Amino acid sequence: MAGGCGTPNYVAPEVLSHKGYNGALADIWSCGVILYVLMAGYLPFDEIDLMTLYGKIEGAQFSCPSWFPVGAKSLIHRILDPNPETRIRIEDIRNDEWFKRNYNPVRLPETEDVDLDDVNAAFDDPEDEIPNQQCGNNDMGPLALNAFDLIILSQGLNLAALFDRRKDSLKHQTRFVSQRPAKVVLSSMEVVAQSMGFKTHIRNYKMRVEGPSADRTSHFSVIMEIFQVAPMFIMVDIQKAAGDAEEYLKFYKNFCNNLEDIIWKPADESCKSRVTKTKSRRR
């Protein structure tokens, strides 16, 4: 994974410097990034400018959120060590006190029969088979993102950053995280979108929001999709499908303001938000 996917945030420092590398040690570093993302909800290294991103990766310039356990902080720093010679090994990770807490090793059966029908079904798109299926009739849950999906969502794969260092990508695609059940989030988004005067169309855990633009001269449309990124976290990916970029940013801001009860924020950001609201009320 570390050497093949090509996204800087998941590629070990020794690969970025074009030096020879040990695949197992590089994969340990990549797994450290994935562990960080699963616990924090964002990447340890995330810069629009690729050269700045490379510098931070090679210098291990990152910090862990305050809610990380001390043991997790220590282990992640040992995993994201840019020097492969001193980077922690798999056997040491398995013996780490924080890692061993509530850890149950996976025991695979000695033999397992593979049904080719199951293999073929894995590549079929259920949306092609069940048109017009609504969320209320779907108990399958949102699509779960694996490590490779998280890699693809990283800004490191966006080559536009090489030519334009402005954060224009935010004008077309944005995301937020929630700890509420997926159905609750989807229902809340539908209510908020409709209250803003837009029509909604739901299919599984995807929702299309559309309506006339603010000046009534064109069409405005947004696609929202819910993903499961961890047992307690879901991510909502929002993309502009049609309309003006500035209008999309305004829509996203108003939309999220009406979803504050379901959008998850780190503890320190939540405190800042409450302080800001208190000050504004006093004024």
Side-chain angles (χ1 to χ4, degrees), residues 127 174-176 185-186 188-194 196 198-210 220-227 235-241 248 251-252 255-256 259:
E127 290 191 3
T174 35
R175 307 181 184 102
F176 66 80
V185 174
L186 184 61
S188 299
M189 293 195 306
E190 181 182 24
V191 171
V192 169
Q194 291 178 354
M196 294 171 66
F198 294 96
K199 294 181 179 180
T200 59
H201 307 276
I202 296 176
R203 186 178 184 184
N204 297 328
Y205 283 86
K206 291 183 180 180
M207 183 170 74
R208 185 181 188 92
V209 176
E210 58 185 355
F220 180 80
S221 179
V222 173
I223 302 295
M224 306 182 185
E225 185 168 8
I226 296 177
F227 298 96
M235 182 188 75
V236 177
D237 182 75
I238 306 178
Q239 299 187 36
K240 179 177 72 69
Y248 170 72
F251 164 84
Y252 180 77
F255 185 72
C256 289
L259 290 172

Side-chain angles (χ1 to χ4, degrees), residues 43-63:
L43 292 161
F45 312 100
D46 200 6
E47 294 288 340
I48 296 295
D49 185 336
L50 289 180
M51 296 308 297
T52 303
L53 177 63
Y54 292 154
K56 286 193 173 183
I57 290 175
E58 293 180 344
Q61 298 176 22
F62 73 95
S63 60

Side-chain angles (χ1 to χ4, degrees), residues 66-67 264-274:
S66 58
W67 65 86
W264 177 84
K265 294 181 180 178
D268 53 347
E269 289 189 17
S270 299
C271 291
K272 291 178 183 178
S273 178
R274 286 196 293 269

Side-chain angles (χ1 to χ4, degrees), residues 22-120:
N22 181 306
L25 295 179
D27 284 344
I28 289 175
W29 192 93
S30 300
C31 288
V33 175
I34 294 171
L35 174 61
Y36 186 103
V37 170
L38 291 175
M39 295 184 64
Y42 55 86
L43 292 161
F45 312 100
D46 200 6
E47 294 288 340
I48 296 295
D49 185 336
L50 289 180
M51 296 308 297
T52 303
L53 177 63
Y54 292 154
K56 286 193 173 183
I57 290 175
E58 293 180 344
Q61 298 176 22
F62 73 95
S63 60
C64 294
S66 58
W67 65 86
F68 274 25
V70 174
K73 292 181 181 179
S74 175
L75 179 59
I76 289 176
H77 275 281
R78 296 179 68 191
I79 293 176
L80 296 183
D81 182 351
N83 184 351
E85 298 300 322
T86 57
R87 187 176 304 148
I88 190 171
R89 278 16 182 201
I90 286 293
E91 57 270 20
D92 296 321
I93 293 176
R94 289 174 175 166
N95 291 325
D96 182 84
E97 289 299 321
W98 181 80
F99 179 85
K100 291 192 300 184
R101 192 176 304 163
N102 299 324
Y103 171 64
N104 295 314
V106 176
R107 291 182 174 84
L108 298 176
E110 294 183 0
T111 59
E112 183 176 357
D113 295 330
V114 178
D115 189 337
L116 292 180
D117 290 336
D118 292 338
V119 176
N120 293 331

Side-chain angles (χ1 to χ4, degrees), residues 215-265:
D215 57 9
R216 303 285 176 178
T217 60
S218 60
H219 184 71
F220 180 80
S221 179
V222 173
I223 302 295
M224 306 182 185
E225 185 168 8
I226 296 177
F227 298 96
Q228 193 82 41
V229 295
M232 296 297 293
F233 285 94
I234 65 164
M235 182 188 75
V236 177
D237 182 75
I238 306 178
Q239 299 187 36
K240 179 177 72 69
D244 179 73
E246 294 300 329
E247 184 175 356
Y248 170 72
L249 284 179
K250 186 179 296 184
F251 164 84
Y252 180 77
K253 182 178 180 180
N254 293 335
F255 185 72
C256 289
N257 284 341
N258 288 305
L259 290 172
E260 284 190 340
D261 292 340
I262 67 170
I263 295 179
W264 177 84
K265 294 181 180 178

Side-chain angles (χ1 to χ4, degrees), residues 141-157:
L143 180 66
L145 295 184
N146 58 30
F148 293 99
D149 297 320
L150 292 173
I151 290 171
I152 292 172
L153 291 174
S154 166
Q155 286 187 8
L157 284 181

